[in-house]
Amino acid sequence: MFVSLHADRLFAFPGKRGDVLARYTAAASASGWHPEHDPAPDAPDATVEGACWTRTAKGRHLLLSVDFRTGGYSPAPEVGKGVAYEVSVGTTSDGSGGGEASCWH
């Protein structure tokens, strides 16, 4: 059985996606997270879908992501000229990085 543990939160920001990514990239790097790039050859730029970082702590493989694809929320977030995004942090039940604990499925 596969169990995933995660926490996420939706945010509204009055700036641009690039500003959001710059802030989380700096904070993630300062805390020991490493960027994981989408391996798909036709993957869009991070400002389109979002970004993901990984790290290992106490033997557990952890994921941190910023996702700009918030269209599935109901009601949809109201941000005016700003941007909505979701931040998620998680791991698998056994903490392994074995295929399923990946930023890009």
Side-chain angles (χ1 to χ4, degrees):
M1 173 163 72
F2 173 75
V3 177
S4 172
L5 176 64
H6 78 276
D8 53 65
R9 182 159 182 186
L10 185 63
F11 292 92
F13 178 69
K16 299 183 185 291
R17 290 178 177 191
D19 299 330
V20 172
L21 289 175
R23 187 221 184 276
Y24 280 91
T25 297
S29 177
S31 297
W33 294 86
H34 306 284
E36 185 176 296
H37 301 285
D38 189 337
D42 58 344
D45 181 75
T47 58
V48 174
E49 292 184 348
C52 188
W53 299 267
T54 61
R55 78 178 220 182
T56 302
K58 297 183 181 180
R60 299 184 73 79
H61 184 74
L62 306 170
L63 305 174
L64 168 67
S65 67
V66 170
D67 193 344
F68 296 118
R69 299 168 294 172
T70 59
Y73 281 91
S74 179
E78 294 183 34
V79 294
K81 293 183 179 182
V83 61
Y85 64 97
E86 177 184 59
V87 174
S88 180
V89 101
T91 187
T92 58
S93 60
D94 67 358
S96 71
E100 304 193 59
S102 172
C103 293
W104 314 104
H105 305 260

